[in-house]
Amino acid sequence: MATSEIPLSESPGERIDNVDVSAEMEGSFLEYAYSVIYSRALPDARDGLKPVQRRILYQMTEMGLRPDRGHVKSARVTGEVMGKLHPHGDSSIYDAMVRLAQPFIMRVPLIDGHGNFGSLDDGPAAARYTEARLAPAAMAMTENLDEDVVDFVPNYDNQLQQPEVLPSAFPNLLVNGASGIAVGMATNMAPHNLIEVVGAARFLIEHPEATLEELMSFVPGPDMPTGGTIIGLAGIRDAYETGRGAFRTRARVSVEALTARKTGLVITELPFMVGAEKVIEKIKDGVNSKKLSGISDVTDLTDRTHGTRLVVGIKTGFSPDAVLEQLYRHTPLEDSFNINNVALVDGGPRTLGLKELLQVYVDHRISVVTRRSQFRLARKRERLHLVEGLLIAILDIDEVIQVIRASDDTEQARTRLIDVFDLTQIQAEYILELRLRRLTRFSRIELETERDELLSAIAELEELLAVPQRIRQLVSDELEEVAEKFGTPRRTLLTEARPSIATSSRSSAPALEIADAPCRVFLSTTGRVIRVDLSSASADGGAVPERAIRRSRHDAILSSVVTTSRTEIGAVTNLGRLIRVSPVDLPVAPENSVQLGAGVRIAEYMALDPKRERVLALVSLESGLPIALGTRQGVVKRLAPGDHPNRPDFEVIALKPGDEVVGVRQSGDGDELLFISSDAQLLHFAASAVRPQGRTAGGMAGISLAAKATVVFFGSIDPSTDPVVATISTSSATIAGADFGRAKVSLLSEFPGKGRATGGVRAHAFLKGEDLLSVAWAGPAPALAVGADGSQRALPDSGSRRDASGTPLDGVVASIGTSIGAAGQGVRPGS
């Protein structure tokens, strides 16, 4: 509505304009909204930082607060940023700096904080009490700023310059996520794993037309700093495709025996942005309101050394799984995360999917590397120009000195040098400012060497800039270096879970009694155990249906056993001990997916000493099949069926001093037992040749070993499955991990059988320098090799001669197992 014109007396020099109020309000609001969007609330898609965060990192870099320097007071940093770059309140600057240092919010922290930087349940100490410096990853965000890699813009009072965007050597927006509320829009982005994001970015560099499915094979989902488990991946795919989606996260919970008679739920990881005190408060409220039952007490054992540890005591007679489902339903142990990928692109807000986010970052890095190369080329050309002038002067140094001495002033000396020696003005000026001691015969040699190096570097930079593909390859290589330097293993597990109880009708309370249903328990090569429901399995009751097998890029099967959820099974360790395990206490794999990145580490679940004892296999205590064991010294034993005392754990073999079990399998008389020794001897013979013995027996001779040789593999083989043998040779003289070794995969049918207690046949031909097998395995194809972290390694195709030498590997192999599919079809897998 326009203002009415009211006559006003005007003073000399004054002017009063009548304006439309609605137009003025609209214009002012739009200016304010744009300022909030662009200058405060939303991150830039290139470096993933808001302006205040960018200014903090840049100013700390200018202050020299590198990781190798000491910490300084946070108040000093806040004051410098506020006075020079960010003219807003000190509290907003300090809050932003604290967030960059909190490891429970940032997947890769950018600031190394010293002091109380707060927690999810409590705020940080005041800036005058805490100290800070840049974290190593922040140096990768700001490196090469002095090489004209990004544009600089004036600060708020045009007195200083600040970078418009940081070079950002890794995709910070995806790795650390972001959150912010602007005017009419907001952003909420989840953190991701650096190694996975870099893998996707490198794939996009190599394949610009990559599909979303191809990129998601590298980035399957978010990776929260606090770990936990993401259930249901449909919302994640929506977010990666459209920029908007939602998913649910659950705490990492294990069932442990608190005392001899009491069981408890131990919570070691919480959903993102959920604090321990909030969980405890909700549990207490649920117990008081009768929404939660079966809980006796809650103890918070969380500390800075051991991390999160909440212990929920379970009353006698209540199922821990049922109580856990109630907790998921009524407490923040299950929480939702809504993704809204809004970021600034070319100065305006846009909602971006995964590919768009990666593409914006890749384009930014290509620009950074191109500008850096152009800058370095210009500097080297300038230096070459000076070096060439010095070489001209050195050829007749006496005349140069004479020309300078005969000149009346600097200007005349410069002009005469240019005329006499055909130099440029820059070269002449440089010679005049040079000290005479540099113009020696030795300096000439140095200058000629420097000239040749400069020419070589210039040619390389010119070639780099002339071929765009080389720039893209350099960006990819630098990303790989950053991932190797700062990357860490994934913390959050991804599962295709059934619909969560937390989202179902609240009128249907979870049952406290769990039915005794058929299941299969898997043990992976990295020591994770998980239970799979077989209620929809085939008629044989032991096979995992093909639709329930999700191909995983990680891990392999070490052992599996068919049982029911309430029937105890045995876990046999290398010390010859069998420990009873109840599958009902194990985590359950989703109905439509078996992914071994999930589950629980069996060593932690069973409270084993990780330095001395490890689980080798899972066995059924009710199958009626003998348990076959092979030891490092070549002893074999089959434990008589039914010799299982009613104790939590018991010995299954009497080991000699210095000996240990290397392999455990349940085998019938129709199977074959197989040994592979460190000196590449393979022996297999009928299991019926070993009569079953009692628990206290020490076994009998299995394989005859040469001096200093030991057994590296023992297993039970079903000949009808066409098994394969995989061996990896190396040298005992090399440092572990320095030599990847040579691998060979052969059919077991290539190896003739021998009698028990014989030496077997050659299984691998050693090349010069090789003297032992580091890893060996036999079982149903395919043989899956994995590293120490469970990541897959490529093995050669099967079919090699049994005495061949193998082919070189491209990575260290820690263990070999079989696939989920093979282990799920009733096959007794190898080790």
Side-chain angles (χ1 to χ4, degrees):
M1 177 178 179
T3 59
S4 60
E5 298 186 7
I6 302 176
L8 297 172
S9 58
E10 297 185 5
S11 303
E14 290 184 352
R15 189 184 71 180
I16 298 177
D17 294 330
N18 295 322
V19 297
D20 185 270
V21 174
S22 61
E24 178 67 20
M25 291 292 293
E26 181 179 348
S28 299
F29 181 79
L30 287 176
E31 290 180 7
Y32 166 74
Y34 179 78
S35 174
V36 172
I37 292 171
Y38 183 76
S39 302
R40 295 191 187 184
L42 298 185
D44 193 296
R46 294 171 292 179
D47 61 5
L49 298 173
K50 301 177 185 179
V52 63
Q53 296 171 330
R54 186 179 304 112
R55 290 163 182 168
I56 290 171
L57 295 181
Y58 173 67
Q59 189 59 42
M60 292 182 72
T61 303
E62 291 293 291
M63 295 170 66
L65 303 181
R66 297 191 297 271
D68 56 348
R69 302 273 182 95
H71 296 79
V72 302
K73 284 290 185 182
S74 300
R76 177 182 169 189
V77 177
T78 301
E80 288 284 317
V81 174
M82 180 171 58
K84 294 183 177 180
L85 302 177
H86 197 71
H88 301 283
D90 58 339
S91 61
S92 63
I93 298 173
Y94 183 55
D95 289 345
M97 187 175 74
V98 166
R99 185 187 187 279
L100 294 175
Q102 290 176 328
F104 50 85
I105 292 181
M106 303 288 286
R107 188 61 180 81
V108 179
L110 300 178
I111 288 180
D112 177 13
H114 181 67
N116 179 15
F117 271 75
S119 66
L120 288 169
D121 297 309
D122 194 13
R128 61 183 179 274
Y129 298 120
T130 62
E131 298 177 337
R133 64 183 177 189
L134 291 173
M139 303 306 296
M141 293 288 294
T142 60
E143 66 179 349
N144 306 131
L145 269 176
D146 57 344
E147 294 185 289
D148 191 34
V149 292
V150 295
D151 294 332
F152 276 69
V153 296
N155 70 334
Y156 65 93
D157 61 359
N158 295 321
Q159 298 296 314
L160 301 170
Q161 294 287 311
Q162 60 182 338
E164 182 184 40
V165 65
L166 295 186
S168 187
F170 62 90
N172 178 64
L173 184 58
L174 274 168
V175 171
N176 281 320
S179 63
I181 301 175
V183 178
M185 62 185 65
T187 184
N188 196 35
M189 304 182 65
H192 290 77
N193 186 273
L194 174 60
I195 298 176
E196 295 175 353
V197 172
V198 165
R202 296 185 67 207
F203 184 83
L204 185 61
I205 292 173
E206 186 176 353
H207 305 88
E209 302 301 323
T211 64
L212 178 61
E213 286 69 22
E214 290 174 328
L215 295 177
M216 285 189 65
S217 67
F218 294 91
V219 186
D223 185 22
M224 305 303 189
T226 53
T229 301
I230 293 178
I231 54 175
L233 306 183
I236 294 175
R237 195 195 185 287
D238 292 340
Y240 287 167
E241 183 175 9
T242 66
R244 296 178 184 272
F247 60 88
R248 301 192 70 84
T249 58
R250 281 183 172 181
R252 185 79 64 86
V253 185
S254 61
V255 180
E256 295 184 9
L258 305 181
T259 65
R261 294 176 176 267
K262 186 175 181 180
T263 301
L265 300 174
V266 178
I267 305 165
T268 55
E269 295 178 4
L270 292 170
F272 188 50
M273 300 301 292
V274 173
E277 292 184 7
K278 182 179 180 181
V279 173
I280 294 174
E281 180 182 356
K282 289 294 184 180
I283 291 176
K284 290 181 178 179
D285 290 344
V287 172
N288 293 334
S289 63
K290 308 300 182 182
K291 292 182 180 179
L292 298 177
S293 56
I295 298 176
S296 61
D297 57 80
V298 182
T299 306
D300 186 5
L301 302 179
T302 302
D303 58 41
R304 295 184 182 273
T305 303
H306 302 94
T308 301
R309 187 174 177 84
L310 296 179
V311 180
V312 180
I314 305 299
K315 294 180 180 179
T316 303
F318 285 82
S319 166
D321 277 2
V323 173
L324 179 58
E325 289 295 337
Q326 292 187 48
L327 291 173
Y328 285 149
R329 178 186 175 96
H330 296 291
T331 72
L333 289 184
E334 180 176 322
D335 199 12
S336 62
F337 188 98
N338 296 313
I339 297 177
N340 189 21
N341 294 337
V342 179
L344 295 175
V345 179
D346 297 329
R350 282 179 54 189
T351 303
L352 306 171
L354 176 62
K355 183 174 181 180
E356 289 80 6
L357 285 167
L358 290 170
Q359 189 63 62
V360 170
Y361 173 76
V362 167
D363 293 342
H364 172 58
R365 281 305 296 176
I366 291 174
S367 171
V368 166
V369 173
T370 300
R371 292 180 60 165
R372 183 186 67 194
S373 301
Q374 292 170 343
F375 178 87
R376 292 177 178 177
L377 178 60
R379 297 290 85 78
K380 291 187 181 299
R381 284 174 173 170
E382 292 173 2
R383 178 59 185 170
L384 177 62
H385 186 63
L386 297 177
V387 170
E388 289 175 340
L390 287 176
L391 287 172
I392 293 174
I394 288 177
L395 291 176
D396 199 351
I397 186 62
D398 294 334
E399 186 175 353
V400 169
I401 296 173
Q402 183 61 35
V403 167
I404 296 174
R405 292 185 60 186
S407 302
D408 295 333
D409 53 28
T410 301
E411 183 63 32
Q412 185 181 12
R414 183 188 305 110
T415 303
R416 294 185 64 187
L417 285 173
I418 293 173
D419 295 339
V420 173
F421 297 100
D422 193 21
L423 300 174
T424 65
Q425 183 171 350
I426 296 176
Q427 291 173 329
E429 187 70 33
Y430 187 70
I431 291 173
L432 287 173
E433 295 178 356
L434 202 66
R435 295 184 179 183
L436 289 177
R437 65 182 183 184
R438 292 281 307 277
L439 302 178
T440 62
R441 187 173 186 83
F442 180 71
S443 294
R444 177 181 177 182
I445 297 174
E446 286 183 339
L447 289 172
E448 289 176 345
T449 301
E450 184 180 359
R451 178 195 60 191
D452 295 339
E453 292 176 350
L454 287 169
L455 288 172
S456 176
I458 289 172
E460 184 176 348
L461 286 170
E462 289 175 340
E463 183 181 356
L464 176 66
L465 291 169
V467 183
Q469 187 57 38
R470 290 198 60 187
I471 291 284
R472 299 177 69 88
Q473 185 59 47
L474 180 58
V475 171
S476 178
D477 294 342
E478 291 180 354
L479 281 172
E480 183 181 19
E481 293 176 4
V482 170
E484 291 178 355
K485 187 174 182 180
F486 302 114
T488 55
R490 166 171 280 276
R491 299 175 186 173
T492 302
L493 303 180
L494 304 174
T495 59
E496 275 286 10
R498 60 186 183 276
S500 168
I501 273 188
T503 63
S504 63
S505 171
R506 293 186 174 273
S507 61
S508 56
L512 294 181
E513 294 295 331
I514 301 176
D516 190 16
C519 65
R520 177 178 283 275
V521 181
F522 289 99
L523 175 66
S524 74
T525 55
T526 54
R528 289 189 176 274
V529 64
I530 195 167
R531 187 177 96 234
V532 179
D533 184 11
L534 296 181
S535 57
S536 58
S538 58
D540 62 6
V544 179
E546 190 64 28
R547 63 178 180 276
I549 299 173
R550 182 175 188 268
R551 299 298 180 186
S552 174
R553 294 185 295 112
H554 305 286
D555 224 329
I557 296 296
L558 176 65
S559 177
S560 71
V561 62
V562 176
T563 181
T564 65
S565 56
R566 291 188 174 276
T567 300
E568 286 188 326
I569 60 175
V572 184
T573 73
N574 61 312
L575 300 184
R577 188 164 66 111
L578 187 148
I579 304 171
R580 291 179 178 271
V581 179
S582 178
V584 74
D585 296 334
L586 300 176
V588 184
E591 183 177 353
N592 297 321
S593 173
V594 179
Q595 188 173 5
L596 287 181
V600 62
R601 292 194 178 278
I602 195 168
E604 299 173 359
Y605 172 76
M606 304 178 68
L608 301 179
D609 182 355
K611 296 182 179 179
R612 296 185 60 251
E613 192 171 17
R614 65 186 185 278
V615 175
L616 299 177
L618 304 175
V619 296
S620 171
L621 301 179
E622 299 185 355
S623 68
L625 292 176
I627 300 174
L629 305 98
T631 74
R632 187 170 300 280
Q633 295 179 4
V635 174
V636 64
K637 176 183 177 179
R638 295 176 77 199
L639 179 66
D643 193 3
H644 310 143
N646 189 20
R647 297 203 301 264
D649 64 285
F650 52 87
E651 303 296 326
V652 291
I653 184 174
L655 293 171
K656 297 179 180 178
D659 200 4
E660 66 172 342
V661 180
V662 296
V664 180
R665 293 294 174 266
Q666 282 189 292
S667 60
D669 290 343
D671 293 337
E672 292 192 350
L673 304 182
L674 186 145
F675 284 91
I676 302 178
S677 64
S678 59
D679 59 348
Q681 293 296 117
L682 183 149
L683 172 65
H684 66 96
F685 51 86
S688 58
V690 181
R691 61 178 179 81
Q693 297 175 308
R695 291 184 300 105
T696 58
M700 58 188 71
I703 183 174
S704 177
L705 296 172
K708 298 184 179 180
T710 59
V711 173
V712 295
F713 173 83
F714 171 81
S716 172
I717 302 298
D718 182 356
S720 65
T721 60
D722 296 327
V724 296
V725 176
T727 51
I728 298 176
S729 59
T730 186
S731 171
S732 59
T734 60
I735 301 175
D739 179 16
F740 297 159
R742 303 175 68 88
K744 176 181 71 68
V745 180
S746 307
L747 296 175
L748 181 62
S749 57
E750 294 285 326
F751 299 84
K754 299 288 184 179
R756 181 181 62 81
T758 60
V761 297
R762 173 69 62 182
H764 196 114
F766 292 137
L767 298 181
K768 184 178 180 181
E770 298 178 339
D771 58 356
L772 59 84
L773 295 180
S774 59
V775 180
W777 178 87
L784 300 182
V786 296
D789 61 350
S791 57
Q792 192 166 324
R793 300 284 189 266
L795 287 176
D797 295 334
S798 61
S800 300
R801 293 183 296 106
R802 66 178 178 83
D803 58 348
S805 58
T807 58
L809 289 168
D810 58 359
V812 176
V813 171
S815 58
I816 303 176
T818 191
S819 67
I820 294 175
Q825 301 303 319
V827 178
R828 288 180 290 276
S831 173

